[in-house]
Amino acid sequence: PRLLQTVFRKSKSNGIPSRLKFCMPAPSDARQFNNWLDALRAVAQLAPYGIDPIWRPEVWLGCAEHNYRDVEWSSVLKFAFNEKLNPDDHMLGVQIVKDLYRTGSCGLLSPSDDRAALKRVLLGYARWNKEVGYCQGFNIITAVLLKVLNNNEAAALKVMIQVVENLLPEHYFNNNLVALSVDLAVFRELLRVHVPRLWAHITKLQGPVSKDPAKSDITYEPPLTNVFTMQWFLTLFATCLPNEIALKVWDLIFLYGAEVLFRVALAIWSSLQTVVLTTHTCDEFYMQMSTAVLDIRQGRHITCEELMKKIHSIPPLSQEKLQEFREEIMYNIQPPNLGLYAKEQDVHCMSLLLNSNPKKEKSTDRDSALIPLL
């Protein structure tokens, strides 16, 4: 049955109507769907309450099914979850199984959770999108989806497709993480604008970087914020924030899109400004940040209400403006023979961030490729 939800309260001074009505599940009509989204966005601003967890599965799935309403899901699901092995399945399965146990070590799976379901959804997505296949970070995203969607594998696959291919930019996980590198550069520019004192201090700690193209063996220190922000973006903050807060952030991502990643990261970094300003060297920065990030994960540094208010106080970036930022950065990337690049050890560093108990594994063609760090 369609559930009518009515919201009373919240002053008009915040730009939110005192009475909102919307229905579950999501309407199929495009205009009604946009009105539905607007109502949910208003509800999401009722910090610290936001979207009721009871609504969450229908909201996430409703967004996915609306954006892919022309897909013949019965055929897709039959192919994705077919028990007959495809030629590429074995290689994919080996990497997926390795990461299943890492997912548990991140605290996203309990011993009672069904790892077989997680493997089936991950393999199903790899079959759906052979160009992307399986990438590190997918295990964490899929584990969250299965938990929220009550282990409904078909629903988890639909929403996984929505996250990777609709909400996030193309090539966020594949093609040597080019899109992620661009977004990290966009974020640093936003940090300069929104939290200038913090940005100036981190830039001072970083120091100048030599860009002499004649030197082929440059010891390159990636931007200090990248070490932490990269993990946050790749896992959509699932491994950074307490579960309750992380799910509220995911609600915002489904309602507003990828620009929420920047607002959340800005909110977190601004809350850490006092800590960071006490550091005088890169080593001190990493030590203080490692402790602060652990405090945030355990809910000791910032409350849900404080973080949500910070997020909503930052003006949203329009899709047009965000795309303009990204294109400008892409245009300014130097050709491979002139730019600074991170080699295999930097790729492995990302692996360390994504996994609690990582081990150095044999490098693959993907790992050994050069990744531009902007």
Side-chain angles (χ1 to χ4, degrees):
R2 294 168 64 83
L3 175 64
L4 179 65
Q5 304 289 356
T6 306
V7 178
F8 299 94
R9 63 190 173 144
K10 204 69 179 172
S11 67
K12 293 183 179 179
S13 62
N14 289 330
I16 299 174
S18 59
R19 181 181 178 90
L20 294 170
K21 292 184 178 181
F22 59 97
C23 297
M24 293 289 184
S28 57
D29 176 77
R31 182 177 179 180
Q32 291 179 1
F33 178 81
N34 289 333
N35 292 336
W36 180 81
L37 270 185
D38 287 340
L40 283 170
R41 287 166 181 162
V43 173
Q45 294 183 47
L46 300 176
Y49 309 102
I51 302 296
D52 193 305
I54 296 175
W55 309 347
R56 185 169 287 136
E58 288 200 70
V59 171
W60 292 10
L61 185 58
C63 290
E65 290 183 334
H66 177 80
N67 286 316
Y68 290 90
R69 54 191 177 278
D70 296 329
V71 172
E72 182 55 53
W73 284 113
S74 59
S75 300
V76 170
L77 296 175
K78 183 178 179 180
F79 170 73
F81 295 115
N82 185 358
E83 294 184 2
K84 184 178 179 180
L85 291 178
N86 295 327
D88 299 330
D89 287 351
H90 177 71
M91 185 178 297
L92 288 167
V94 170
Q95 185 58 49
I96 289 171
V97 168
K98 286 181 182 178
D99 286 351
L100 291 182
Y101 296 97
R102 295 169 179 167
T103 313
S105 67
C106 292
L108 294 171
L109 288 180
S110 64
S112 61
D113 286 325
D114 188 356
R115 283 187 170 85
L118 180 56
K119 180 182 177 182
R120 285 192 293 270
V121 175
L122 290 169
L123 184 58
Y125 179 80
R127 289 171 170 176
W128 157 270
N129 190 334
K130 293 183 178 181
E131 180 184 355
V132 175
Y134 173 77
C135 303
Q136 284 188 326
F138 279 7
N139 56 323
I140 293 170
I141 292 173
T142 307
V144 173
L145 295 178
L146 283 170
K147 264 194 175 301
V148 170
L149 298 168
N150 303 311
N151 230 39
N152 184 325
E153 296 173 32
L157 178 60
K158 292 178 182 180
V159 181
M160 178 77 171
I161 294 170
Q162 163 79 352
V163 170
V164 177
E165 301 178 19
N166 190 276
L167 296 178
L168 297 176
E170 188 179 5
H171 304 315
Y172 220 68
F173 294 92
N174 67 337
N175 197 23
N176 295 331
L177 306 176
V178 167
L180 174 62
S181 298
V182 170
D183 273 6
L184 291 173
V186 170
F187 172 73
R188 292 196 301 277
E189 177 61 19
L190 292 174
L191 188 68
R192 183 187 67 81
V193 172
H194 289 273
V195 199
R197 188 181 176 196
L198 176 64
W199 176 86
H201 184 74
I202 292 175
T203 302
K204 183 179 178 181
L205 290 178
Q206 181 87 48
V209 177
S210 172
K211 294 187 178 181
D212 184 355
K215 297 181 179 180
S216 59
D217 188 20
I218 299 174
T219 301
Y220 176 60
E221 178 75 21
L224 296 182
T225 54
N226 278 20
V227 176
F228 301 95
T229 312
M230 177 185 286
Q231 183 195 24
W232 300 349
F233 281 11
L234 275 177
T235 64
L236 310 185
F237 300 92
T239 58
C240 158
L241 298 169
N243 291 342
E244 176 195 1
I245 304 178
L247 293 178
K248 291 184 183 297
V249 166
W250 280 46
D251 290 337
L252 298 180
I253 293 171
F254 279 98
L255 298 177
Y256 290 94
E259 66 88 11
V260 170
L261 297 177
F262 300 100
R263 285 196 278 155
V264 177
L266 286 171
I268 294 174
W269 277 107
S270 66
S271 72
L272 295 172
Q273 179 169 241
T274 303
V275 173
V276 174
L277 291 178
T278 64
T279 62
H280 300 91
T281 66
C282 289
D283 288 343
E284 285 184 11
F285 170 83
Y286 286 126
M287 289 177 62
Q288 292 285 0
M289 278 295 299
S290 297
T291 301
V293 167
L294 182 60
D295 286 342
I296 290 175
R297 174 63 179 164
Q298 296 178 353
R300 292 197 295 259
H301 190 82
I302 188 169
T303 67
C304 178
E305 183 170 7
E306 289 170 343
L307 184 62
M308 290 298 118
K309 285 183 176 179
K310 277 180 176 286
I311 294 169
H312 290 300
S313 70
I314 301 170
L317 266 176
S318 69
Q319 183 60 37
E320 293 76 16
K321 188 64 177 177
L322 180 54
Q323 189 58 32
E324 182 182 322
F325 271 134
R326 287 169 171 158
E327 289 175 358
E328 182 179 347
I329 288 169
M330 285 293 292
Y331 179 79
N332 289 321
I333 291 178
Q334 293 176 316
N337 62 328
L338 296 177
L340 288 174
Y341 285 80
K343 298 185 180 180
E344 181 180 348
Q345 59 266 32
D346 298 300
V347 181
H348 182 59
C349 179
M350 183 197 72
S351 175
L352 297 179
L353 288 169
L354 287 173
N355 304 294
S356 298
N357 299 307
K359 296 180 180 179
K360 179 71 175 178
E361 296 165 3
K362 184 177 180 180
S363 63
T364 63
D365 291 340
R366 174 191 288 272
D367 293 333
S368 59
L370 298 179
I371 296 179
L373 290 175
L374 307 176

